[in-house]
């Protein structure tokens, strides 16, 4: 098994772990982290792709994609954290379930 | 066939909204509003100009910065992208005019509340132009990774627009919207990674020439389709859409239901029928058709049960998204039916953008005046706000698919495609969905025509808001009266056999 394939498969596994976290955890912060783990999996997969040339020269395009992807991921994380902080300040809760179970949430 | 154009007009349709967005942010509310409205009109003129040039000299490509693909990113102009660009500009201008009135200080409202609207108005304009710019990139770019970035720009501005109100329900809807839409984009990005791993190109046109059936292609297409379905809110991943669309301020609801939905749907159509043709299995189209069918019936039934107008319209969007997805199974048939399916699906999405934007604008006007949108308390509205109710009725005609409206043409073409390809059950479904739509639209109209409850207080709705919603609904009807022009534009460089429709278009 070549290193590139090993890295690709690891990337896919990391993505799946993140997806599982996004689905099963209820705490907002855990969900945010899970999304970031998913992103990391994809980035790893893309970096492994850069090894596709037979002459040993790395392909720069996947690198460019990962760099852009990181910028998007950072802004996304900042944005969702701001939203979650606002929600916590307004309701005192950190998950959809808790907000809905709250009697204030019942009116929503 | 495709020629390199020297004109930079297509680049400006992308640059201008982003530039204005930044300027609006720096200028504050008063000047920002002015910049916004002026930009909207300039963008409309610019895109109409582009449309005329494509109409006269055919499709073209533009290499940004002189770097052509595969290294650089190309802008491609063909019938479909110009049509989407043009309708985004028309709907966008009407929404901008509406927002111009919506966020102004309201007479008869407490100072505190007006301050809230002023604050929303300040942030609305930059976010709206970022979303608009993102949509334009989405329609013009021919690089699947660049499109990913465009999708993210549209989503982030859309989520921020949902959260604009700042109330708990708005924040909740925005948070739910965020998790779902980001999941969608990541799954799409993964698909892009798989495609690149197999073929080493990102350009849509180049991919079309090198893609072959196989494991990796199937995985990539499945991932990209799945991601875009989540973003378009097709059943069963539609649950985030109604609260997000209904809890936002009215101009935002119009942007989301009208334009943002159309954006990801456009991309799916572009990928399936241009880049992935020959690799897609017909059974996948049938699967999307079944999901669309459930969305049509489920969405309409849910819409009937809603007690709030905006919630009803949001569920109606879920149902209408279902109609758009009927394009996928119907296109799998013979070549005569294909032209109708292709034209019908896209025509339907454009008319839906106009009609739903108009309907949400009217809903916003009603909330503006009454302070609520409970349907059962709409008695007497037809007498007090004749323009608004008239606009709602016109938009409703298109949503139901009554002639002569854009919705009618779209549904008629889909019906024709269903009959021509021998999939008559879809024809039955289209009719059933229309009847349900008629039920929920007439339910609202009937109450507005009843005699008013005496002594109810209402604010005066600014004329600007009323007229822009009226103009928007006229467009929804005009699409039915002058169907030839958009269909002729759609024919330019269309990937689907269109000859069969000559008799229809004339």
């Amino acid at each position: 098994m070549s290193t590139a394939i090993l890295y690709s498969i690891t990337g896919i596994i990391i993505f799946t772990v993140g997806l599982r976290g996004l689905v099963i955890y209820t705490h907002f912060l855990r969900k945010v982290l899970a999304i970031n783990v998913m992103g990391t999996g994809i980035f790893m997969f893309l970096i492994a792709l850069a090894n596709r040339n037979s002459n040993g020269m790395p392909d720069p395009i996947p690198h460019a994609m990962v760099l852009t992807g990181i910028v998007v991921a950072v802004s996304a994380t900042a944005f969702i954290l701001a939203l979650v902080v606002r929600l916590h300040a307004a309701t005192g809760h950190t998950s959809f379930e808790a907000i809905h179970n709250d009697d204030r949430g019942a009116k929503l | 066939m495709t020629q390199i154009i020297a004109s930079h007009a297509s680049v400006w349709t992308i640059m201008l909204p982003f530039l204005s967005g930044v300027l609006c942010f720096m200028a504050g509310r008063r000047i920002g509003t002015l910049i916004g409205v002026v930009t909207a009109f300039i963008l409309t003129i610019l895109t109409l100009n582009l449309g005329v040039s494509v109409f006269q000299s055919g499709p073209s490509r533009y290499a940004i910065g002189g770097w052509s693909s595969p290294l650089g990113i190309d802008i491609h102009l063909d019938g479909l992208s110009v049509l989407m660009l043009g309708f985004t500009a028309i709907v966008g201008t009407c929404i901008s005019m509406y927002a111009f009135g919506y966020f102004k200080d309201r007479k008869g409202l407490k100072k505190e509340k007006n301050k809230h609207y002023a604050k929303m108005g300040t942030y609305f304009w930059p976010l709206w132009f970022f979303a608009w710019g993102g949509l334009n990139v989405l329609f013009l770019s021919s690089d699947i990774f660049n499109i990913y970035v465009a999708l993210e720009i549209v989503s982030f501005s859309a989520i921020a627009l949902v959260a604009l109100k700042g109330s708990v329900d708005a924040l909740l809807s925005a948070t739910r919207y965020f998790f779902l839409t980001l999941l969608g984009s990541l799954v799409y990005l993964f698909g892009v990674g798989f495609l690149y791993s197999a073929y080493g190109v990102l350009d849509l046109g180049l991919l079309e020439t090198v893609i072959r059936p196989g494991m990796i292609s199937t995985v990539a297409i499945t991932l990209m389709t799945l991601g875009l379905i989540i973003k378009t809110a097709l059943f069963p991943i539609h649950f985030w859409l109604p609260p997000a669309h209904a809890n936002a301020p009215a101009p935002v609801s119009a942007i989301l239901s009208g334009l943002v939905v159309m954006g990801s749907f456009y991309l799916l159509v572009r990928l399936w029928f241009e880049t992935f043709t020959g690799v897609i299995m017909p059974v996948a189209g049938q699967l999307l058709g079944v999901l669309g069918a459930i969305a049509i019936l489920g969405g309409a039934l849910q819409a009937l049960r809603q007690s709030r107008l905006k919630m009803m319209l949001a569920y109606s969007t879920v149902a209408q998204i279902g109609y758009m997805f009927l394009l996928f199974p119907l296109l799998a048939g013979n070549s005569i039916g294909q032209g109708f399916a292709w034209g019908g699906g896209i025509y339907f999405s454009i008319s839906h953008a106009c009609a739903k934007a108009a309907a949400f604008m009217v809903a916003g006007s009603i909330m503006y005046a009454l302070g609520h949108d409970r349907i059962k308390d709409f008695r007497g509205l037809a007498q007090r706000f004749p323009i608004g109710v008239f606009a709602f009725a016109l938009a409703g005609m298109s949503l139901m698919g009554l002639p002569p409206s854009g919705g009618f043409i779209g549904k008629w073409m889909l019906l024709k495609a269903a009959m021509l390809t021998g999939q008559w059950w879809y024809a039955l479904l289209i009719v059933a969905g229309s009847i349900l739509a008629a039920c929920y639209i007439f339910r609202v109209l009937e109450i507005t025509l009843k005699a008013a409850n005496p002594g109810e207080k209402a604010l005066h709705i600014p004329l600007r808001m009323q007229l822009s919603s009226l103009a928007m609904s006229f467009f929804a009807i005009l699409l039915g009266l002058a169907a030839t022009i958009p269909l002729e534009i759609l024919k330019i460089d269309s990937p689907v056999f269109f000859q069969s429709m000559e008799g229809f278009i004339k």
Side-chain angles (χ1 to χ4, degrees):
Chain A
M1 194 193 292
S2 77
T3 326
I5 291 181
L6 183 68
Y7 275 85
S8 311
I9 291 174
T10 317
I12 295 171
I13 293 171
I14 293 176
F15 178 85
T16 342
V17 169
L19 185 61
R20 174 178 170 275
L22 182 66
V23 175
I24 66 165
Y25 292 125
T26 55
H27 197 290
F28 288 138
L29 214 51
R30 278 177 182 260
K31 277 187 187 289
V32 175
L33 287 177
I35 288 250
N36 274 291
V37 170
M38 284 170 72
T40 309
I42 297 175
F43 298 153
M44 186 148 178
F45 182 78
L46 288 175
I47 287 172
L49 284 184
N51 195 15
R52 56 202 299 282
N53 287 350
S54 49
N55 57 11
M57 295 285 277
D59 180 353
I61 291 181
H63 290 175
M65 291 204 278
V66 172
L67 275 180
T68 317
I70 289 173
V71 173
V72 172
V74 167
S75 4
T77 310
F79 180 31
I80 185 64
L81 286 179
L83 268 180
V84 169
V85 166
R86 279 290 298 274
L87 259 182
H88 182 250
T91 64
H93 294 298
T94 49
S95 71
F96 292 123
E97 284 77 4
I99 294 173
H100 276 287
N101 293 337
D102 196 336
D103 52 358
R104 232 185 331 171
K107 279 186 290 182
L108 298 179
Chain B
M1 195 161 72
T2 40
Q3 42 157 336
I4 306 294
I5 43 165
S7 143
H8 303 298
S10 51
V11 180
W12 278 107
T13 56
I14 295 172
M15 287 296 291
L16 191 63
F18 286 124
L19 214 67
S20 302
V22 174
L23 283 179
C24 288
F25 183 67
M26 293 193 301
R29 182 169 72 124
R30 275 171 212 286
I31 303 171
T33 310
L34 278 179
I35 297 174
V37 173
V38 172
T39 311
F41 279 103
I42 297 175
L43 271 172
T44 311
I45 295 167
L46 212 60
T47 47
L48 291 183
N49 217 354
L50 270 182
V52 171
S53 82
V54 169
F55 199 66
Q56 283 169 349
S57 50
S60 58
R61 268 178 174 264
Y62 177 92
I64 298 173
W67 295 87
S68 60
S69 64
L71 200 58
I73 294 166
D74 277 2
I75 281 178
H76 63 158
L77 276 171
D78 58 6
L80 179 58
S81 56
V82 154
L83 195 67
M84 290 288 164
L85 212 61
F87 272 90
T88 304
I90 291 170
V91 176
T93 306
C94 288
I95 293 174
S96 299
M97 282 309 290
Y98 181 84
F100 190 12
Y102 187 87
F103 293 113
K104 268 179 72 130
D105 284 344
R106 302 175 175 196
K107 283 184 200 115
L109 212 60
K110 282 194 197 100
K111 214 173 181 182
E112 197 66 7
K113 274 226 157 148
N114 263 329
K115 233 182 192 169
H116 182 57
Y117 280 108
K119 204 173 166 195
M120 284 204 283
T122 314
Y123 295 116
F124 169 81
W125 291 100
L127 289 169
W128 159 220
F129 278 104
F130 289 149
W132 192 341
L135 281 169
N136 284 355
V137 178
L138 186 63
F139 296 140
L140 288 176
S141 175
S142 95
D143 179 288
I144 49 175
F145 184 76
N146 190 231
I147 287 174
Y148 159 75
V149 178
L151 280 173
E152 292 288 43
I153 293 173
V154 175
S155 314
F156 290 170
S157 0
I159 297 162
L161 283 169
V162 170
L164 203 59
K165 219 187 237 171
S167 59
V168 172
D169 49 357
L171 290 172
L172 259 183
S173 324
T175 312
R176 191 170 288 119
Y177 185 11
F178 177 93
F179 284 123
L180 262 303
T181 199
L182 210 73
L183 174 67
S185 354
L186 283 177
V187 172
Y188 171 88
L189 179 63
F190 215 1
V192 171
F194 271 101
L195 272 188
Y196 190 79
S197 79
Y199 304 108
V201 285
L202 292 170
D203 186 80
L204 283 173
L206 289 177
L207 260 177
E208 190 184 343
T209 56
V210 296
I211 196 164
R212 292 177 308 273
M215 244 285 275
I216 294 187
S217 303
T218 311
V219 171
I221 294 168
T222 311
L223 286 172
M224 289 168 93
T225 308
L226 208 65
L228 290 173
I229 284 179
I230 297 175
K231 287 181 101 72
T232 322
L234 177 65
F235 176 88
I237 320 168
H238 63 284
F239 52 87
W240 59 265
L241 185 145
H245 287 203
N247 286 327
V252 176
S253 311
I255 293 166
L256 294 175
S257 258
L259 300 176
V260 174
V261 162
M262 190 170 85
S264 45
F265 172 72
Y266 152 85
L267 182 56
L268 205 53
V269 170
R270 167 80 75 195
L271 288 174
W272 270 52
F273 301 112
E274 258 185 63
T275 311
F276 298 155
T277 37
V279 191
I280 297 266
M281 283 172 291
V283 66
Q286 290 294 341
L287 187 67
L288 288 188
V290 171
L291 294 180
I294 302 173
I296 292 175
L297 297 177
L301 288 173
Q302 281 287 329
L304 268 173
R305 293 180 50 217
Q306 299 305 316
S307 56
R308 283 179 47 208
L309 179 60
K310 285 182 80 179
M311 211 57 181
M312 184 200 97
L313 289 174
Y315 272 107
S316 154
T317 300
V318 172
Q320 308 266 335
I321 289 169
Y323 274 109
M324 297 176 202
F325 276 86
L326 291 188
L327 164 77
F328 293 91
L330 294 179
L331 250 171
N334 51 36
S335 60
I336 309 173
Q338 277 184 344
F340 283 103
W342 168 261
I346 292 166
Y347 211 81
F348 191 86
S349 73
I350 297 168
S351 347
H352 172 251
C354 294
K356 195 49 72 63
F360 264 122
M361 287 183 200
V362 175
S365 303
I366 293 173
M367 270 190 98
Y368 186 109
L370 302 180
H372 69 79
D373 65 341
R374 291 185 300 274
I375 297 171
K376 68 174 168 44
D377 295 334
F378 280 0
R379 298 170 70 101
L381 271 186
Q383 282 175 331
R384 285 151 80 187
F385 312 120
I387 301 178
V389 174
F390 180 57
F392 187 81
L394 288 182
M397 269 173 72
S398 187
L399 292 176
M400 290 181 252
L402 286 184
S405 66
F408 166 72
I409 303 281
K411 276 185 185 166
W412 187 85
M413 285 168 74
L414 287 173
L415 263 178
K416 187 104 182 162
M419 297 319 261
L420 282 170
T421 55
Q423 307 183 70
W424 53 270
W425 50 91
Y426 283 122
L428 278 183
L429 186 79
I430 292 168
V431 175
S434 303
I435 294 170
L436 286 173
C439 290
Y440 60 71
I441 297 287
F442 278 123
R443 186 176 134 231
V444 175
L445 285 177
E446 192 204 343
I447 295 176
T448 62
L449 290 170
K450 284 182 181 162
N453 296 331
E456 216 181 352
K457 270 201 293 185
L459 294 186
H460 174 71
I461 308 171
L463 201 60
R464 211 172 276 145
M465 283 166 72
Q466 301 216 38
L467 289 184
S468 46
S469 57
L470 189 64
M472 195 71 270
S473 59
F474 268 131
F475 258 105
I477 300 298
L478 199 66
L479 269 172
L481 295 172
T484 327
I485 305 165
L487 285 176
E488 282 289 343
I489 295 175
L490 196 56
K491 257 171 65 182
I492 301 169
D493 205 26
S494 155
V496 177
F497 188 61
F498 238 115
Q499 218 101 56
S500 57
M501 295 190 34
E502 287 302 334
F504 173 65
I505 294 179
K506 271 203 281 291

